[in-house]
Amino acid sequence: MLQKFDLVVIGSGPAGYIGAIRAAQLGLKTACIEEWKTSDGKNALGGTCLNVGCIPSKALLESSEQYEHTLKGLATHGISVSGTKVDLAKMLARKDGIVSKMTGGIEYLFRKNKITWLKGHGRFAAKNGSAWTLQVINGSDVETVEAKAVMIATGSTARHLPGIPIDNEYICDNIGALSFSDIPRSLGVIGAGVIGLELGSVWRRLGSKVTVLEALPTFLAAADESVSQEAWKIFTGEQGLDIQLSANIRKVVIEKKKVVVEYQHDGAVKMLECDRLIVSVGRTPNTDNLGTEVVGLKVDNRGFIEVDDHCRTNLPNVFAVGDVVRGPMLAHKGEEEGVMVAELIVGQKSHVEYNAIPWVIYTSPEIAWVGKTEQTLKSEGTPYRIGQFPFAINGRALGHGDAKGFVKMLAHARTDEILGVHIINTHASELIAEAVVAMEFRASSEDIARIVHAHPSLSEVMHEAALAVDKRALNM
Ligand code: FAD
Ligand code: NAD
C-alpha cells in the first residue's frame, strides 16, 4: 500500500534529522529516507556529522590533546609521568563507541517522535496533483511513497582531485583519515582548510610529522587576519606544523607503500614522501541521482540546490537545507534551517539569522568567530572601533597553563553595535556563545562591558575586549 506523509525528509544528517524531529513535534506525519551504511554494513542515521565528521573528529581531537598534555603539559604543574604511550586501537574504539551512542540516540528520537525511517536511496519520481511521489531504492527493492512536502537534506561528500584516487588506506578523505590503522610517521595533507588543520593536528599530536600543502597564497582567508596570523605563528612555530602555501599539486602516486606527492612550490618542483595522505580540498553537495531533472528542481552549476533565504526551492512545497544549499557547511547552520522549514510548513513565521552563525575551527588553540572580519569591514567602508584583549594576563587562563590568544571585538564606530567577535584560545568554541547571543540581540560593545562576568573566568577576556573598544580595559 502506498504510504502517504505530510513531510518526507531525504537525508538524516543534522539538517534532516533535526528538521524531521521539529516537524513531528508540530504534528506532521513525517518520514526520513536515509541510505547510510556503516563500514560493517549496518544502516545508520546521523549523516556525515555523526558518522564521519564532527563527532568522531572531536573524539580523536580530545584523545590526542590528552596524550599531548600528558607528555608535555603536566610537567609544568609539577606532575611527572613516565611510560606514556598510545593504544590506537583503543582510542579508535572509544571514538566508534561515541559515534554508535549518538547515532543510536537518533534512532531512539525517531521512535519517540514516531518518525518513519525509510532505509534506502531517495529520489523524486513524479508530481501527483499537489503531492510529490518519491522512490526509496534499497538494492533491487523499490518502494514508492507520497509526500505533501519534501525537505532535501542530502548533505555533502569530500571533493576529490582529478587523477588522485582515494583508496582510504594510503590516500584518504575524511573517512579514512578518522580510522588510520597505525600512526603514520609522516603524513601529507592537501588543503589547509578546516579539515586539513583539524585532522592534521590530531595526527601531529599523536606523533606524525605533518606537511600541509595549500594551493592559495593566504592562510585561513575566511578568518580575521589577526587571528590567522596568530594561528600561523602558533601552528608553524611552536607546534612545528609544516604548512606550504601556493603549492601546486602535479602528481600523486603510491610507491613501495609510500605516497609520493610531486608539487610546485617557490618556483621549484618538489617531492613529498609520506606514509599517508589526507585530501581535504572542500566538499561537494549530494544531488546525484536525486531525480532533480525528472521534476525540474533547479540546481546550480556547482551542484547546490538553489534556494531563497527561507530554503524554498523553485518547486512548490519542496525545500532544501544544510550542506546541499548555499552558505557555510556547518552542522548547526543546517539544523536551524531544518527547524525553520518545519515551522514554515505549518504556517509559522520562522527564519534563520545568517549573520550570527558561529564558526569554530577545532585546532589547538581553537579559533572561533561570529559576524564580520576587520578586512570585510574595511573593504565595505564601514567605520569601526576595535577592542582586543589577550588571555596571557587572565588569571584563569594562566591557571589552566594555557594562556594563548586573544578576543577581538569589532563595533560600529557610531552606533557601537557589535559587528564581529574573533577568538583564538583553547576554549574559543564555548566562549563564542556569548558573542552570538549579543549579536542576535544586536547588542553594543557597551552592553557587554556593563555585564558582570564571573571571576576568575576566561569570559573576563570578552568583558575586557568590550571595554577596550572604548579604550578603557581595566587590567591592561
Ligand atoms: P550530512 O551530514 O552530509 O547528511 C546527509 C545525509 O543524507 C547522509 O546521511 C547521506 O547518506 C544522506 N543522503 C544523501 N543523499 C541521499 C539520498 N538520495 N537518499 C537517501 N539518503 C541520502 N560542522 C560543524 O558545524 N562542526 C564541526 O565540528 C564539524 N566537523 C566536521 C569534521 C569533518 C571531518 C567533516 C567531514 C565535516 C565536519 N563538519 C562540521 C561539517 C558537518 O559535518 C556538515 O556541515 C553537516 O554534516 C551537514 O549536515 P547535513 O545534514 O546537511 O548533511
Ligand atoms: P575547506 O574549504 O575548509 O578547505 C579546503 C582548502 O583546500 C582550502 O584552503 C583550499 O584553498 C584548499 N585547496 C583546494 N584545492 C586545492 C588543491 N588542488 N591543492 C591544494 N589545496 C587546495 O574544506 P575542507 O577542509 O575539506 O572542509 C569542508 C567543509 O567542512 C568546510 O568548509 C567546513 O564548512 C566543514 N567543516 C567544518 C568544521 C568545523 O566547523 N569545525 C570541521 C571540518 C569541516
Side-chain angles (χ1 to χ4, degrees), residues 63-382:
S63 298
S64 66
E65 282 179 3
Q66 297 267 4
Y67 174 62
E68 191 175 56
H69 185 61
T70 310
L71 278 185
K72 298 181 186 161
L74 285 180
T76 63
H77 292 262
I79 303 167
S80 50
V81 184
S82 58
T84 308
K85 53 179 197 246
V86 174
D87 180 341
L88 184 62
K90 200 165 173 181
M91 198 178 276
L92 295 180
R94 173 183 178 273
K95 171 208 65 160
D96 293 340
I98 294 170
V99 168
S100 335
K101 190 168 181 178
M102 297 289 294
T103 54
I106 303 180
E107 281 187 47
Y108 159 77
L109 290 171
F110 271 23
R111 282 195 301 274
K112 181 181 158 200
N113 288 284
K114 302 194 173 40
I115 297 165
T116 306
W117 175 9
L118 301 166
K119 296 179 181 125
H121 180 87
R123 67 191 304 276
F124 282 93
K127 188 155 192 275
N128 188 5
S130 62
W132 296 99
T133 308
L134 298 154
Q135 287 176 331
V136 185
I137 305 158
N138 193 352
S140 54
D141 294 343
V142 181
E143 183 185 355
T144 302
V145 295
E146 201 176 272
K148 287 187 193 155
V150 179
M151 187 192 299
I152 304 165
T154 48
S156 65
T157 32
R159 184 166 80 86
H160 294 171
L161 291 172
I164 308 182
I166 302 290
D167 60 12
N168 271 327
E169 192 185 346
Y170 291 100
I171 307 177
C172 303
D173 58 19
N174 59 299
I175 297 179
L178 289 163
S179 296
F180 289 155
S181 50
D182 46 25
I183 299 167
R185 254 177 308 179
S186 53
L187 172 66
V189 178
I190 302 184
V194 192
I195 294 180
L197 290 175
E198 286 188 5
L199 292 181
S201 310
V202 163
W203 295 105
R204 182 198 59 74
R205 282 191 286 271
L206 294 177
S208 303
K209 178 176 179 340
V210 180
T211 307
V212 185
L213 304 175
E214 164 62 44
L216 292 178
T218 42
F219 177 61
L220 280 182
D224 189 271
E225 269 168 16
S226 32
V227 169
S228 17
Q229 278 162 15
E230 182 73 6
W232 175 267
K233 262 196 305 195
I234 297 172
F235 299 161
T236 60
E238 60 198 73
Q239 295 185 356
L241 205 58
D242 178 7
I243 308 175
Q244 302 187 22
L245 302 177
S246 301
N248 180 9
I249 309 297
R250 291 159 56 114
K251 202 165 76 181
V252 176
V253 289
I254 300 173
E255 276 173 10
K256 297 185 188 142
K257 299 193 169 185
K258 293 269 183 196
V259 185
V260 182
V261 183
E262 184 185 304
Y263 64 104
Q264 191 147 12
H265 184 244
D266 268 348
V269 174
K270 299 182 180 173
M271 298 291 209
L272 169 71
E273 194 185 85
C274 48
D275 295 325
R276 298 281 207 297
L277 179 72
I278 301 177
V279 180
S280 47
V281 291
R283 296 180 64 79
T284 312
N286 294 327
T287 41
D288 280 354
N289 195 17
L290 195 57
T292 51
E293 61 302 331
V294 179
V295 286
L297 180 66
K298 271 198 191 160
V299 174
D300 73 15
N301 55 11
R302 294 185 305 151
F304 289 95
I305 296 175
E306 288 186 13
V307 288
D308 66 10
D309 284 352
H310 289 96
C311 293
R312 291 190 179 94
T313 67
N314 64 310
L315 301 178
N317 301 319
V318 177
F319 301 80
V321 294
D323 279 12
V324 78
V325 301
R326 82 293 171 259
M329 289 182 162
L330 299 174
H332 42 284
K333 172 260 189 187
E335 290 180 4
E336 293 312 315
E337 288 181 333
V339 168
M340 171 178 72
V341 165
E343 293 178 350
L344 289 173
I345 291 172
V346 298
Q348 294 184 2
K349 304 242 178 301
S350 198
H351 83 292
V352 172
E353 178 49 74
Y354 286 102
N355 295 321
I357 294 178
W359 289 71
V360 180
I361 305 178
Y362 293 86
T363 40
S364 176
E366 295 175 350
I367 293 169
W369 73 89
V370 58
K372 294 186 176 170
T373 60
E374 187 177 353
Q375 61 267 24
T376 306
L377 293 178
K378 250 188 212 150
S379 67
E380 289 174 353
T382 306

Side-chain angles (χ1 to χ4, degrees), residues 5-10 31-33 118 134 145-147 149-151:
F5 297 94
D6 296 325
L7 173 67
V8 170
V9 180
I10 312 178
C32 180
I33 310 177
L118 301 166
L134 298 154
V145 295
E146 201 176 272
V150 179
M151 187 192 299

